[in-house]
Amino acid sequence: MNRYPLWKYLTVLVALVLGVLYTLPNFFGESPAVQVSSAKSTIKVEPEMLQRVQSLLQQADITTTGSSFERNGPVGTIRFRFANTDIQIKARDLIERALNPNPQDPDYTVALNLLPASPQWLSAIGANPMYLGLDLRGGVHFLLQVDMEGALTARYDSIATDFRATLRDQRIPTSGIEREAMSVVLAFPDDGARSRALALLRSRSNDMTFQEGAGQGTLEGRPILTARMTDATIASVQSSALRQNITTLHNRINELGVAEPVIQQQGSDRIIVQLPGVQDVARAKEILGRTATLEIRLVDDSPTATSALAAGTVPFGLERYDDTDGRPLLLRRQVILTGENLQDAQAGRDQQTQQAAVHLTLDNKGARIFRDVTRDNIGRRMAILLFEKGIGQVVTAPVIRSEIPGGQVQISGSMSAEDAADIALLLRAGSLAAPMTIIEERTIGPSLGAENIEKGFQATLWGFVAVVAFMIVYYRLFGVFSSIGLTLNVLLLLGLLSLLQATLTLPGIAAIALTIGMAIDANVLINERIREELRRGESPQAAINIGFERAWGTILDSNLTTLIVGIALLIFGTGPVRGFAVVHCLGILTSMFSAVVGVRAMVNLTHGGRKRLKDLSIGTVWKPKD
């Protein structure tokens, strides 16, 4: 009657072992570390860098307790762990001096960090500690306002340029094309020209609306067209600007070595950035506010320029920049195109040679300018420059083989597929799509985070002890089973959160405490059902069986309704509310498993094989007098 098949016992055992294994890393704390990452988009950190820095530390007699290399897409990072903060700072200073001989133009970011101190064998099986949120670890919080008006203004300026080029190509006369606020106003000498322009622009610009009217002021009496973007286009431009800025922020924050940054959209024009563990606010603001710009210019390879370059001079009208291999080039000061004209960049292959290449898509204005420049400069080199921190570097400088119309540009040469992917990513995410300003800034100290952890841990621990004491006193042996089931529930919940690499926040700790309360509620239901059956005169074996069966329906109903509320919080909530909902939903599932399956397995093991079971150690069973 009260016996499980072997696979159910094994399931509980496996769950217990996994829960212990994946909970363990959370008790080892963190060790001081130094992280090395690239400070420039054109410089990569490769696995060989790990050996180089390791040799450097050994020569200085600095001992590490661990090292690692990680690659996230094209971005590589190396980390070294140390026994204490004194060795950590000494190592940081040594690595900084060796890798960045010019402090004014550092190639690498050498940052202090904290890494999990759990044993290597736990990390090898994927058992890592949970991330701690801003309120537990301390750090900085920024709320950034994206200038959507600026993004739309730039878009209207680009549209006005496109209209001028289109009407000029079709030989349609105009009296002026200018952006006015959030519109583009086109003036014409007569109604016939306006009608032809309207037909042409409507056929080519489906994302615009056009309104005919009469000019005022300097355009008094002249027929005009007023063009505005549709609501869908405006929403698309704003959404694209927001996504581009979030992508760029991700790339920049990687330099800080933040383990689990929070970068998320708030509303239609704001971005929240939370950096747990970062205390250097000035450094964080410097990186967030950094601007990267892209330019395309012509390379001057003439004999005069080459001689001047060899002599170490720069002729008038030219500027000297280095490429990614450190070779100097002389570029013309005139900027052909900027990153504003780049719509997309994708890595691919040259259709004829099958070599790795980068395919660029330019907007209409960029396409027209690029066509004219390539037609007039066949055989010369064109350089793509990226400016970071005000310092420019040549990403690539291919030779122009032929006129390139249509705005589809291909960059090819001596590059691997990985290089092509890196350049494409660099070009896509090199700059912000719209300017941003920091409108809110908060700093949370590490001592406050440690205090939150301590208080949260104490509250959960003493709540757990009080519940266990009550259950053992009130339900005796079955109270012990319930307490063990409660422990299994906590282990499973922490193990799941660690396995999913969830970020634990203060609301998450509150959800764990709530889960303990709800889990013991299920055990109380089971024990009271068993008592009720004993009171009715059922045998102990039958009381156990009927008690668990009848309690299951009630437990399922009550937890299902609570789970629905948790899922609603998960779907519609944000930030701390969402974190609470994750722990809450997982806690409901683990509590149902531990109470119904785990506790039943223990009861079956201890009582299921006893044929002459006369009574149960489940506390006082009150029976009414006849």
Side-chain angles (χ1 to χ4, degrees):
M1 182 183 295
N2 292 316
R3 293 182 180 179
Y4 264 169
L6 180 61
W7 68 268
K8 277 199 174 181
Y9 292 117
L10 291 177
T11 301
V12 175
L13 181 62
V14 169
L16 176 63
V17 171
L18 290 179
V20 171
L21 281 178
Y22 281 91
T23 302
L24 269 181
N26 297 287
F27 296 99
F28 287 96
E30 295 176 315
S31 57
V34 172
Q35 170 176 308
V36 179
S37 56
S38 172
K40 296 179 179 176
S41 303
T42 52
I43 292 180
K44 296 165 61 178
V45 175
E46 299 291 352
E48 294 75 19
M49 176 68 74
L50 187 69
Q51 299 299 327
R52 178 186 170 191
V53 177
Q54 186 74 58
S55 302
L56 194 69
L57 294 173
Q58 287 176 352
Q59 291 172 7
D61 199 21
I62 296 177
T63 305
T64 66
T65 57
S67 61
S68 64
F69 172 82
E70 292 182 9
R71 185 182 294 281
N72 183 13
V75 180
T77 304
I78 60 174
R79 296 183 178 91
F80 292 89
R81 289 193 287 187
F82 302 93
N84 54 56
T85 53
D86 290 339
I87 301 177
Q88 176 198 28
I89 294 173
K90 185 178 177 184
R92 191 273 308 269
D93 294 342
L94 175 68
I95 298 172
E96 180 82 48
R97 288 195 300 271
L99 298 186
N100 296 319
N102 181 9
Q104 304 303 320
D105 183 23
D107 293 331
Y108 299 93
T109 298
V110 183
L112 301 178
N113 204 346
L114 292 173
L115 291 179
S118 51
Q120 188 64 34
W121 65 273
L122 280 175
S123 303
I125 62 173
N128 296 307
M130 289 177 281
Y131 292 120
L132 298 180
L134 196 67
D135 49 358
L136 297 182
R137 198 180 185 192
V140 290
H141 166 104
F142 296 110
L143 180 60
L144 304 170
Q145 175 77 47
V146 181
D147 183 7
M148 290 301 180
E149 187 174 339
L152 292 174
T153 300
R155 180 64 175 161
Y156 274 112
D157 284 335
S158 176
I159 291 171
T161 304
D162 294 342
F163 283 172
R164 289 191 196 98
T166 301
L167 297 180
R168 184 172 61 244
D169 288 346
Q170 297 300 317
R171 301 183 184 280
I172 298 176
T174 64
S175 299
I177 300 175
E178 298 294 338
R179 177 184 62 80
E180 289 187 2
M182 290 298 145
S183 66
V184 176
V185 177
L186 304 90
F188 299 91
D190 53 57
D191 291 338
R194 182 175 67 179
S195 299
R196 284 191 291 146
L198 179 60
L200 176 66
L201 295 178
R202 273 182 172 166
S203 65
R204 297 191 177 187
S205 305
N206 296 326
D207 56 349
M208 304 290 294
T209 60
F210 297 91
Q211 183 179 3
E212 297 178 87
Q216 298 178 352
T218 56
L219 299 175
E220 183 69 34
R222 293 183 182 178
I224 65 168
L225 274 179
T226 303
R228 293 185 178 87
M229 287 187 282
T230 62
D231 292 342
T233 306
I234 291 174
S236 174
V237 170
Q238 292 177 335
S239 174
S240 176
L242 206 60
R243 287 199 305 273
Q244 173 75 17
N245 281 18
I246 289 176
T247 302
T248 305
L249 285 175
H250 268 290
N251 295 336
R252 293 177 181 176
I253 288 171
N254 281 339
E255 295 182 14
L256 286 170
V258 180
E260 187 67 7
V262 175
I263 306 170
Q264 60 187 19
Q265 178 179 346
Q266 185 185 63
S268 59
D269 58 355
R270 292 181 176 180
I271 299 173
I272 290 177
V273 177
Q274 292 183 346
L275 307 176
V278 172
Q279 303 304 316
D280 190 346
V281 181
R283 174 68 173 150
K285 289 173 69 174
E286 177 192 352
I287 289 184
L288 290 180
R290 203 179 75 195
T291 56
T293 56
L294 190 73
E295 293 182 0
I296 297 179
R297 302 190 194 185
L298 285 174
V299 180
D300 194 335
D301 287 324
S302 64
T304 305
T306 305
S307 301
L309 187 63
T313 60
V314 179
F316 180 76
L318 302 179
E319 288 182 329
R320 172 178 168 160
Y321 292 97
D322 293 338
D323 64 10
T324 53
D325 295 326
R327 292 172 299 197
L329 294 173
L330 287 178
L331 310 185
R332 289 192 173 183
R333 287 181 179 272
Q334 181 185 4
V335 177
I336 298 172
L337 291 173
T338 68
E340 293 179 354
N341 304 113
L342 181 66
Q343 289 187 333
D344 192 19
Q346 296 291 336
R349 295 273 176 187
D350 186 299
Q351 293 184 352
Q352 295 181 347
T353 64
Q354 294 303 310
Q355 288 182 331
V358 179
H359 302 282
L360 308 180
T361 303
L362 303 176
D363 60 12
N364 291 336
K365 174 186 175 185
R368 178 180 56 80
I369 296 173
F370 203 79
R371 179 197 61 197
D372 296 343
V373 171
T374 53
R375 181 187 59 210
D376 299 337
N377 295 279
I378 293 175
R380 300 179 64 183
R381 287 201 292 167
M382 179 179 289
I384 297 178
L385 265 170
L386 185 76
F387 284 86
E388 291 181 300
K389 299 177 184 177
I391 300 173
Q393 187 172 36
V394 177
V395 179
T396 181
V399 178
I400 303 170
R401 301 297 183 190
S402 62
E403 176 184 333
I404 304 175
Q408 299 294 325
V409 183
Q410 175 179 300
I411 301 174
S412 59
S414 55
M415 67 174 76
S416 64
E418 186 179 358
D419 292 336
D422 291 351
I423 293 174
L425 176 66
L426 173 67
L427 297 182
R428 284 199 307 270
S431 60
L432 294 172
M436 294 187 299
T437 53
I438 297 175
I439 60 174
E440 181 182 318
E441 173 187 329
R442 293 203 309 267
T443 302
I444 300 174
S447 57
L448 180 59
E451 186 179 350
N452 287 336
I453 293 177
E454 178 65 20
K455 287 184 176 179
F457 179 77
Q458 292 293 336
T460 306
L461 175 65
W462 287 111
F464 182 86
V465 170
V467 168
V468 166
F470 171 79
M471 293 298 290
I472 293 176
V473 170
Y474 197 68
Y475 291 113
R476 311 287 176 80
L477 181 59
F478 274 69
V480 174
F481 293 149
S482 300
S483 301
I484 297 174
L486 196 60
T487 306
L488 174 64
N489 175 40
V490 174
L491 286 175
L492 289 178
L493 179 57
L494 294 180
L496 265 179
L497 291 173
S498 302
L499 183 64
L500 298 174
Q501 287 289 276
T503 300
L504 184 66
T505 61
L506 208 54
I509 292 180
I512 292 176
L514 178 63
T515 299
I516 292 176
M518 293 181 61
I520 207 61
D521 186 49
N523 285 276
V524 169
L525 276 173
I526 293 170
N527 293 339
E528 287 300 326
R529 285 289 188 186
I530 295 174
R531 277 182 166 187
E532 189 177 326
E533 298 305 322
L534 291 174
R535 198 175 298 126
R536 287 179 179 175
E538 294 285 352
S539 67
Q541 291 288 8
I544 292 173
N545 186 49
I546 298 172
F548 270 101
E549 293 297 329
R550 291 187 175 177
W552 163 242
T554 307
I555 294 170
L556 181 63
D557 289 344
S558 63
N559 282 283
L560 192 60
T561 52
T562 312
L563 185 62
I564 291 172
V565 175
I567 292 174
L569 287 175
L570 191 61
I571 294 174
F572 299 106
T574 58
V577 175
R578 195 178 175 88
F580 176 89
V582 170
V583 181
H584 181 64
C585 291
L586 290 176
I588 290 172
L589 298 178
T590 56
S591 73
M592 290 175 68
F593 175 81
S594 60
V596 178
V597 181
V599 174
R600 181 72 185 272
M602 285 184 282
V603 173
N604 287 354
L605 274 175
T606 54
H607 293 75
R610 297 167 64 180
K611 296 181 179 177
R612 295 181 180 179
L613 185 61
K614 294 181 179 179
D615 56 6
L616 297 177
S617 176
I618 197 169
T620 304
V621 179
W622 176 82
K623 293 183 179 179
K625 295 180 180 178
D626 294 334

